[in-house]
Amino acid sequence: MSNMKALPLLEPAGQAVEPCCPPLTERPFTAEEAETAARMFKALGDPVRLRLFSAVASHEGGEACVCDISDVGVSQPTVSHHLKKLKEAGLLTSERRGTWVYYRVEPSVLASMVRLLVIAPAAA
């Protein structure tokens, strides 16, 4: 039995991104929207995960080898655990190249999180 999991496809450049949830100020969340948003923010609620997510997001080229981001003050197995949690929350994708795994932040996730937290301008 394989433990392989299909990764979501990245959005093609220039294609509109469908957010997971409406902006907080637009309307109350449905139960499903709240679950989706909570899963993302819960994954980022751990300081080590937030550091790893930031390291990947800010890395040159938009992706990072695990070998370049594992210096966050915890053991390698713990780094792997946290990266797995970020992947399960849909915040990262990964690709194995030889012996190394490269991580990339899902552009649609960043766009979705930004839209979620943006406060709409007051109606005139």
Side-chain angles (χ1 to χ4, degrees):
M1 177 180 272
S2 175
N3 288 336
M4 294 184 68
K5 180 178 176 183
L7 297 176
L9 297 174
L10 296 177
E11 298 291 332
Q15 185 175 339
V17 174
E18 184 65 32
C20 75
C21 314
L24 288 171
T25 56
E26 184 176 300
R27 62 170 172 75
F29 283 172
T30 64
E32 183 179 330
E33 290 166 341
E35 286 290 329
T36 300
R39 188 172 37 255
M40 289 189 301
F41 289 111
K42 182 177 180 181
L44 292 175
D46 181 280
V48 172
R49 288 186 204 139
L50 187 55
R51 288 185 66 199
L52 288 168
F53 186 75
S54 173
V56 173
S58 64
H59 203 270
E60 185 178 335
E63 71 176 7
C65 173
V66 69
C67 60
D68 294 329
I69 60 170
S70 59
D71 186 21
V72 291
V74 296
S75 68
Q76 180 56 47
T78 303
V79 168
S80 294
H81 166 77
H82 286 301
L83 288 169
K84 178 182 175 185
K85 291 296 184 185
L86 290 168
K87 282 181 59 178
E88 288 173 349
L91 297 170
L92 296 178
T93 60
S94 66
E95 177 183 354
R96 180 169 292 281
R97 297 181 197 156
T99 58
W100 296 111
V101 178
Y102 287 78
Y103 290 88
R104 178 177 296 276
V105 172
E106 271 293 329
S108 61
V109 169
L110 284 179
S112 180
M113 291 171 74
V114 166
R115 286 206 53 214
L116 175 70
L117 296 174
V118 168
I119 297 175

